[in-house]
PDB file of all heavy atoms in Angstrom:
ATOM      1  N   LYS A 195     -32.213 -19.797  90.771  1.00 93.00           N
ATOM      2  CA  LYS A 195     -33.097 -20.515  89.855  1.00 93.00           C
ATOM      3  C   LYS A 195     -34.261 -21.151  90.621  1.00 93.00           C
ATOM      4  O   LYS A 195     -35.402 -21.122  90.165  1.00 93.00           O
ATOM      5  CB  LYS A 195     -32.326 -21.586  89.102  1.00 93.00           C
ATOM      6  CG  LYS A 195     -31.367 -21.030  88.088  1.00 93.00           C
ATOM      7  CD  LYS A 195     -30.614 -22.117  87.357  1.00 93.00           C
ATOM      8  CE  LYS A 195     -29.643 -21.503  86.374  1.00 93.00           C
ATOM      9  NZ  LYS A 195     -28.858 -22.496  85.662  1.00 93.00           N
ATOM     10  N   THR A 196     -33.965 -21.694  91.811  1.00 93.00           N
ATOM     11  CA  THR A 196     -35.010 -22.319  92.621  1.00 93.00           C
ATOM     12  C   THR A 196     -36.062 -21.288  93.012  1.00 93.00           C
ATOM     13  O   THR A 196     -37.266 -21.559  92.918  1.00 93.00           O
ATOM     14  CB  THR A 196     -34.401 -22.964  93.883  1.00 93.00           C
ATOM     15  OG1 THR A 196     -33.420 -23.914  93.481  1.00 93.00           O
ATOM     16  CG2 THR A 196     -35.462 -23.646  94.716  1.00 93.00           C
ATOM     17  N   ASP A 206     -52.373 -23.388  91.786  1.00 90.00           N
ATOM     18  CA  ASP A 206     -52.935 -24.056  90.616  1.00 90.00           C
ATOM     19  C   ASP A 206     -51.849 -24.885  89.950  1.00 90.00           C
ATOM     20  O   ASP A 206     -50.710 -24.433  89.820  1.00 90.00           O
ATOM     21  CB  ASP A 206     -53.485 -23.031  89.618  1.00 90.00           C
ATOM     22  CG  ASP A 206     -54.640 -22.230  90.196  1.00 90.00           C
ATOM     23  OD1 ASP A 206     -55.416 -22.803  90.980  1.00 90.00           O
ATOM     24  OD2 ASP A 206     -54.744 -21.035  89.872  1.00 90.00           O
ATOM     25  N   PRO A 207     -52.173 -26.099  89.500  1.00 92.00           N
ATOM     26  CA  PRO A 207     -51.169 -26.967  88.876  1.00 92.00           C
ATOM     27  C   PRO A 207     -50.568 -26.333  87.618  1.00 92.00           C
ATOM     28  O   PRO A 207     -51.268 -25.702  86.832  1.00 92.00           O
ATOM     29  CB  PRO A 207     -51.958 -28.226  88.517  1.00 92.00           C
ATOM     30  CG  PRO A 207     -53.164 -28.198  89.382  1.00 92.00           C
ATOM     31  CD  PRO A 207     -53.472 -26.753  89.615  1.00 92.00           C
ATOM     32  N   THR A 209     -47.394 -27.185  84.506  1.00 94.00           N
ATOM     33  CA  THR A 209     -46.536 -28.223  83.945  1.00 94.00           C
ATOM     34  C   THR A 209     -45.091 -27.745  83.801  1.00 94.00           C
ATOM     35  O   THR A 209     -44.807 -26.547  83.851  1.00 94.00           O
ATOM     36  CB  THR A 209     -47.043 -28.653  82.556  1.00 94.00           C
ATOM     37  OG1 THR A 209     -46.947 -27.525  81.677  1.00 94.00           O
ATOM     38  CG2 THR A 209     -48.473 -29.163  82.609  1.00 94.00           C
ATOM     39  N   ASN A 211     -43.372 -27.798  81.095  1.00 92.00           N
ATOM     40  CA  ASN A 211     -43.276 -26.996  79.865  1.00 92.00           C
ATOM     41  C   ASN A 211     -43.594 -25.534  80.135  1.00 92.00           C
ATOM     42  O   ASN A 211     -42.892 -24.638  79.670  1.00 92.00           O
ATOM     43  CB  ASN A 211     -44.227 -27.535  78.796  1.00 92.00           C
ATOM     44  CG  ASN A 211     -43.788 -28.871  78.254  1.00 92.00           C
ATOM     45  OD1 ASN A 211     -42.627 -29.240  78.349  1.00 92.00           O
ATOM     46  ND2 ASN A 211     -44.729 -29.605  77.692  1.00 92.00           N
ATOM     47  N   GLU A 218     -37.628 -19.371  81.266  1.00 94.00           N
ATOM     48  CA  GLU A 218     -36.643 -19.454  80.182  1.00 94.00           C
ATOM     49  C   GLU A 218     -35.448 -20.341  80.552  1.00 94.00           C
ATOM     50  O   GLU A 218     -34.345 -20.150  80.055  1.00 94.00           O
ATOM     51  CB  GLU A 218     -36.186 -18.062  79.752  1.00 94.00           C
ATOM     52  CG  GLU A 218     -37.307 -17.213  79.197  1.00 94.00           C
ATOM     53  CD  GLU A 218     -36.865 -15.817  78.812  1.00 94.00           C
ATOM     54  OE1 GLU A 218     -35.707 -15.439  79.067  1.00 94.00           O
ATOM     55  OE2 GLU A 218     -37.703 -15.105  78.229  1.00 94.00           O
ATOM     56  N   GLN A 221     -35.725 -27.390  80.121  1.00 95.00           N
ATOM     57  CA  GLN A 221     -36.586 -28.318  80.842  1.00 95.00           C
ATOM     58  C   GLN A 221     -35.793 -29.252  81.749  1.00 95.00           C
ATOM     59  O   GLN A 221     -36.282 -29.640  82.804  1.00 95.00           O
ATOM     60  CB  GLN A 221     -37.439 -29.127  79.869  1.00 95.00           C
ATOM     61  CG  GLN A 221     -38.531 -28.307  79.223  1.00 95.00           C
ATOM     62  CD  GLN A 221     -39.422 -29.139  78.337  1.00 95.00           C
ATOM     63  OE1 GLN A 221     -39.330 -30.357  78.313  1.00 95.00           O
ATOM     64  NE2 GLN A 221     -40.298 -28.482  77.600  1.00 95.00           N
ATOM     65  N   SER A 222     -34.575 -29.586  81.373  1.00 96.00           N
ATOM     66  CA  SER A 222     -33.759 -30.474  82.208  1.00 96.00           C
ATOM     67  C   SER A 222     -33.415 -29.804  83.541  1.00 96.00           C
ATOM     68  O   SER A 222     -33.402 -30.460  84.588  1.00 96.00           O
ATOM     69  CB  SER A 222     -32.485 -30.874  81.475  1.00 96.00           C
ATOM     70  OG  SER A 222     -31.720 -29.730  81.132  1.00 96.00           O
ATOM     71  N   VAL A 224     -35.223 -27.364  85.002  1.00 96.00           N
ATOM     72  CA  VAL A 224     -36.492 -27.266  85.727  1.00 96.00           C
ATOM     73  C   VAL A 224     -36.839 -28.609  86.360  1.00 96.00           C
ATOM     74  O   VAL A 224     -37.209 -28.676  87.533  1.00 96.00           O
ATOM     75  CB  VAL A 224     -37.628 -26.793  84.789  1.00 96.00           C
ATOM     76  CG1 VAL A 224     -38.978 -26.849  85.496  1.00 96.00           C
ATOM     77  CG2 VAL A 224     -37.361 -25.386  84.283  1.00 96.00           C
ATOM     78  N   SER A 225     -36.676 -29.676  85.610  1.00 96.00           N
ATOM     79  CA  SER A 225     -36.992 -31.013  86.112  1.00 96.00           C
ATOM     80  C   SER A 225     -36.145 -31.371  87.332  1.00 96.00           C
ATOM     81  O   SER A 225     -36.664 -31.898  88.325  1.00 96.00           O
ATOM     82  CB  SER A 225     -36.766 -32.044  85.003  1.00 96.00           C
ATOM     83  OG  SER A 225     -36.999 -33.341  85.476  1.00 96.00           O
ATOM     84  N   ALA A 230     -35.897 -31.982  93.387  1.00 95.00           N
ATOM     85  CA  ALA A 230     -35.361 -31.629  94.709  1.00 95.00           C
ATOM     86  C   ALA A 230     -36.443 -31.026  95.596  1.00 95.00           C
ATOM     87  O   ALA A 230     -36.527 -31.337  96.791  1.00 95.00           O
ATOM     88  CB  ALA A 230     -34.198 -30.649  94.548  1.00 95.00           C
ATOM     89  N   LEU A 232     -39.645 -31.624  95.386  1.00 95.00           N
ATOM     90  CA  LEU A 232     -40.556 -32.724  95.754  1.00 95.00           C
ATOM     91  C   LEU A 232     -39.999 -33.513  96.933  1.00 95.00           C
ATOM     92  O   LEU A 232     -40.736 -33.855  97.863  1.00 95.00           O
ATOM     93  CB  LEU A 232     -40.777 -33.666  94.568  1.00 95.00           C
ATOM     94  CG  LEU A 232     -41.793 -33.241  93.538  1.00 95.00           C
ATOM     95  CD1 LEU A 232     -41.698 -34.110  92.298  1.00 95.00           C
ATOM     96  CD2 LEU A 232     -43.191 -33.294  94.118  1.00 95.00           C
ATOM     97  N   ARG A 233     -38.706 -33.816  96.911  1.00 95.00           N
ATOM     98  CA  ARG A 233     -38.082 -34.558  98.012  1.00 95.00           C
ATOM     99  C   ARG A 233     -38.167 -33.790  99.325  1.00 95.00           C
ATOM    100  O   ARG A 233     -38.318 -34.384 100.385  1.00 95.00           O
ATOM    101  CB  ARG A 233     -36.614 -34.860  97.695  1.00 95.00           C
ATOM    102  CG  ARG A 233     -36.419 -36.036  96.779  1.00 95.00           C
ATOM    103  CD  ARG A 233     -34.965 -36.469  96.724  1.00 95.00           C
ATOM    104  NE  ARG A 233     -34.054 -35.422  96.296  1.00 95.00           N
ATOM    105  CZ  ARG A 233     -33.733 -35.142  95.039  1.00 95.00           C
ATOM    106  NH1 ARG A 233     -34.255 -35.852  94.059  1.00 95.00           N
ATOM    107  NH2 ARG A 233     -32.893 -34.175  94.746  1.00 95.00           N
ATOM    108  N   LYS A 235     -40.553 -31.839 100.058  1.00 93.00           N
ATOM    109  CA  LYS A 235     -41.988 -31.670 100.300  1.00 93.00           C
ATOM    110  C   LYS A 235     -42.427 -30.199 100.313  1.00 93.00           C
ATOM    111  O   LYS A 235     -43.306 -29.795 101.050  1.00 93.00           O
ATOM    112  CB  LYS A 235     -42.408 -32.376 101.583  1.00 93.00           C
ATOM    113  CG  LYS A 235     -42.100 -33.860 101.561  1.00 93.00           C
ATOM    114  CD  LYS A 235     -42.870 -34.614 102.586  1.00 93.00           C
ATOM    115  CE  LYS A 235     -42.499 -36.072 102.662  1.00 93.00           C
ATOM    116  NZ  LYS A 235     -42.398 -36.822 101.482  1.00 93.00           N
ATOM    117  N   ILE A 236     -41.794 -29.409  99.454  1.00 93.00           N
ATOM    118  CA  ILE A 236     -42.166 -28.010  99.289  1.00 93.00           C
ATOM    119  C   ILE A 236     -43.271 -27.892  98.238  1.00 93.00           C
ATOM    120  O   ILE A 236     -44.135 -27.022  98.321  1.00 93.00           O
ATOM    121  CB  ILE A 236     -40.937 -27.165  98.899  1.00 93.00           C
ATOM    122  CG1 ILE A 236     -39.944 -27.170 100.064  1.00 93.00           C
ATOM    123  CG2 ILE A 236     -41.326 -25.749  98.508  1.00 93.00           C
ATOM    124  CD1 ILE A 236     -38.620 -26.516  99.762  1.00 93.00           C
ATOM    125  N   GLN A 238     -45.907 -30.377  95.451  1.00 95.00           N
ATOM    126  CA  GLN A 238     -46.475 -31.697  95.202  1.00 95.00           C
ATOM    127  C   GLN A 238     -46.849 -31.776  93.729  1.00 95.00           C
ATOM    128  O   GLN A 238     -46.946 -30.763  93.054  1.00 95.00           O
ATOM    129  CB  GLN A 238     -47.689 -31.944  96.091  1.00 95.00           C
ATOM    130  CG  GLN A 238     -48.841 -30.993  95.872  1.00 95.00           C
ATOM    131  CD  GLN A 238     -49.942 -31.196  96.901  1.00 95.00           C
ATOM    132  OE1 GLN A 238     -49.772 -31.877  97.889  1.00 95.00           O
ATOM    133  NE2 GLN A 238     -51.094 -30.602  96.646  1.00 95.00           N
ATOM    134  N   GLU A 240     -49.352 -33.785  90.639  1.00 94.00           N
ATOM    135  CA  GLU A 240     -50.564 -34.549  90.366  1.00 94.00           C
ATOM    136  C   GLU A 240     -50.709 -34.693  88.864  1.00 94.00           C
ATOM    137  O   GLU A 240     -50.147 -33.910  88.098  1.00 94.00           O
ATOM    138  CB  GLU A 240     -51.785 -33.856  90.969  1.00 94.00           C
ATOM    139  CG  GLU A 240     -52.046 -32.474  90.406  1.00 94.00           C
ATOM    140  CD  GLU A 240     -53.187 -31.750  91.089  1.00 94.00           C
ATOM    141  OE1 GLU A 240     -53.222 -31.739  92.329  1.00 94.00           O
ATOM    142  OE2 GLU A 240     -54.025 -31.201  90.358  1.00 94.00           O
ATOM    143  N   ILE A 242     -52.687 -34.377  85.474  1.00 92.00           N
ATOM    144  CA  ILE A 242     -53.785 -33.625  84.878  1.00 92.00           C
ATOM    145  C   ILE A 242     -53.914 -34.042  83.418  1.00 92.00           C
ATOM    146  O   ILE A 242     -52.988 -34.603  82.838  1.00 92.00           O
ATOM    147  CB  ILE A 242     -53.571 -32.096  84.985  1.00 92.00           C
ATOM    148  CG1 ILE A 242     -52.315 -31.658  84.223  1.00 92.00           C
ATOM    149  CG2 ILE A 242     -53.520 -31.648  86.426  1.00 92.00           C
ATOM    150  CD1 ILE A 242     -52.191 -30.161  84.058  1.00 92.00           C
ATOM    151  N   ILE A 245     -53.855 -30.873  77.588  1.00 79.00           N
ATOM    152  CA  ILE A 245     -54.755 -30.003  76.836  1.00 79.00           C
ATOM    153  C   ILE A 245     -54.380 -29.981  75.351  1.00 79.00           C
ATOM    154  O   ILE A 245     -55.238 -30.034  74.488  1.00 79.00           O
ATOM    155  CB  ILE A 245     -54.736 -28.576  77.409  1.00 79.00           C
ATOM    156  CG1 ILE A 245     -55.275 -28.614  78.837  1.00 79.00           C
ATOM    157  CG2 ILE A 245     -55.552 -27.628  76.566  1.00 79.00           C
ATOM    158  CD1 ILE A 245     -55.107 -27.345  79.607  1.00 79.00           C
ATOM    159  N   GLY A 249     -48.902 -37.324  72.637  1.00 82.00           N
ATOM    160  CA  GLY A 249     -48.327 -38.102  73.735  1.00 82.00           C
ATOM    161  C   GLY A 249     -49.414 -38.637  74.647  1.00 82.00           C
ATOM    162  O   GLY A 249     -50.583 -38.697  74.280  1.00 82.00           O
ATOM    163  N   LYS A 251     -52.276 -39.093  77.449  1.00 90.00           N
ATOM    164  CA  LYS A 251     -53.449 -38.253  77.728  1.00 90.00           C
ATOM    165  C   LYS A 251     -53.298 -37.476  79.029  1.00 90.00           C
ATOM    166  O   LYS A 251     -53.940 -36.457  79.226  1.00 90.00           O
ATOM    167  CB  LYS A 251     -54.717 -39.107  77.809  1.00 90.00           C
ATOM    168  CG  LYS A 251     -55.038 -39.855  76.543  1.00 90.00           C
ATOM    169  CD  LYS A 251     -55.539 -38.921  75.487  1.00 90.00           C
ATOM    170  CE  LYS A 251     -55.907 -39.726  74.250  1.00 90.00           C
ATOM    171  NZ  LYS A 251     -55.931 -38.917  73.073  1.00 90.00           N
ATOM    172  N   TRP A 254     -47.870 -34.716  84.273  1.00 93.00           N
ATOM    173  CA  TRP A 254     -47.629 -34.250  85.634  1.00 93.00           C
ATOM    174  C   TRP A 254     -47.735 -32.737  85.687  1.00 93.00           C
ATOM    175  O   TRP A 254     -47.286 -32.039  84.797  1.00 93.00           O
ATOM    176  CB  TRP A 254     -46.248 -34.666  86.127  1.00 93.00           C
ATOM    177  CG  TRP A 254     -46.111 -36.115  86.418  1.00 93.00           C
ATOM    178  CD1 TRP A 254     -45.340 -37.013  85.742  1.00 93.00           C
ATOM    179  CD2 TRP A 254     -46.740 -36.860  87.464  1.00 93.00           C
ATOM    180  NE1 TRP A 254     -45.461 -38.261  86.305  1.00 93.00           N
ATOM    181  CE2 TRP A 254     -46.317 -38.190  87.367  1.00 93.00           C
ATOM    182  CE3 TRP A 254     -47.637 -36.521  88.473  1.00 93.00           C
ATOM    183  CZ2 TRP A 254     -46.753 -39.186  88.233  1.00 93.00           C
ATOM    184  CZ3 TRP A 254     -48.068 -37.513  89.336  1.00 93.00           C
ATOM    185  CH2 TRP A 254     -47.623 -38.819  89.213  1.00 93.00           C
ATOM    186  N   TYR A 256     -47.422 -29.467  88.786  1.00 96.00           N
ATOM    187  CA  TYR A 256     -46.839 -29.183  90.090  1.00 96.00           C
ATOM    188  C   TYR A 256     -47.541 -28.001  90.736  1.00 96.00           C
ATOM    189  O   TYR A 256     -47.954 -27.064  90.051  1.00 96.00           O
ATOM    190  CB  TYR A 256     -45.343 -28.885  89.937  1.00 96.00           C
ATOM    191  CG  TYR A 256     -44.606 -30.043  89.332  1.00 96.00           C
ATOM    192  CD1 TYR A 256     -44.557 -30.221  87.949  1.00 96.00           C
ATOM    193  CD2 TYR A 256     -44.004 -30.999  90.127  1.00 96.00           C
ATOM    194  CE1 TYR A 256     -43.913 -31.309  87.390  1.00 96.00           C
ATOM    195  CE2 TYR A 256     -43.356 -32.097  89.576  1.00 96.00           C
ATOM    196  CZ  TYR A 256     -43.322 -32.239  88.207  1.00 96.00           C
ATOM    197  OH  TYR A 256     -42.696 -33.324  87.669  1.00 96.00           O
ATOM    198  N   ASP A 260     -49.824 -27.071 100.553  1.00 77.00           N
ATOM    199  CA  ASP A 260     -50.569 -26.220 101.480  1.00 77.00           C
ATOM    200  C   ASP A 260     -49.866 -26.247 102.835  1.00 77.00           C
ATOM    201  O   ASP A 260     -49.850 -27.268 103.510  1.00 77.00           O
ATOM    202  CB  ASP A 260     -52.011 -26.709 101.606  1.00 77.00           C
ATOM    203  CG  ASP A 260     -52.855 -25.816 102.494  1.00 77.00           C
ATOM    204  OD1 ASP A 260     -52.393 -24.714 102.857  1.00 77.00           O
ATOM    205  OD2 ASP A 260     -53.983 -26.224 102.819  1.00 77.00           O
ATOM    206  N   ASN A 262     -50.705 -24.874 105.520  1.00 58.00           N
ATOM    207  CA  ASN A 262     -51.631 -24.903 106.647  1.00 58.00           C
ATOM    208  C   ASN A 262     -52.244 -26.272 106.869  1.00 58.00           C
ATOM    209  O   ASN A 262     -52.952 -26.487 107.847  1.00 58.00           O
ATOM    210  CB  ASN A 262     -52.756 -23.876 106.443  1.00 58.00           C
ATOM    211  CG  ASN A 262     -52.194 -22.466 106.389  1.00 58.00           C
ATOM    212  OD1 ASN A 262     -51.218 -22.159 107.052  1.00 58.00           O
ATOM    213  ND2 ASN A 262     -52.794 -21.630 105.580  1.00 58.00           N
ATOM    214  N   ALA A 263     -51.975 -27.195 105.947  1.00 52.00           N
ATOM    215  CA  ALA A 263     -52.559 -28.530 106.059  1.00 52.00           C
ATOM    216  C   ALA A 263     -51.945 -29.259 107.253  1.00 52.00           C
ATOM    217  O   ALA A 263     -50.775 -29.127 107.551  1.00 52.00           O
ATOM    218  CB  ALA A 263     -52.311 -29.322 104.774  1.00 52.00           C
ATOM    219  N   GLU A 272     -44.307 -48.530 121.537  1.00 46.00           N
ATOM    220  CA  GLU A 272     -44.322 -49.763 122.299  1.00 46.00           C
ATOM    221  C   GLU A 272     -44.046 -49.526 123.737  1.00 46.00           C
ATOM    222  O   GLU A 272     -43.463 -48.647 124.174  1.00 46.00           O
ATOM    223  CB  GLU A 272     -43.293 -50.732 121.731  1.00 46.00           C
ATOM    224  CG  GLU A 272     -43.685 -51.100 120.330  1.00 46.00           C
ATOM    225  CD  GLU A 272     -43.060 -52.398 119.893  1.00 46.00           C
ATOM    226  OE1 GLU A 272     -42.726 -53.244 120.744  1.00 46.00           O
ATOM    227  OE2 GLU A 272     -42.918 -52.586 118.694  1.00 46.00           O
TER     228      GLU A 272
END
Side-chain angles (χ1 to χ4, degrees):
K195 289 180 181 178
T196 302
D206 297 325
T209 64
N211 290 339
E218 298 178 354
Q221 288 184 8
S222 59
V224 173
S225 177
L232 279 168
R233 280 192 302 272
K235 302 198 185 313
I236 295 173
Q238 62 187 12
E240 62 185 47
I242 62 169
I245 296 170
K251 299 287 182 201
W254 288 113
Y256 300 84
D260 183 10
N262 297 327
E272 296 202 25

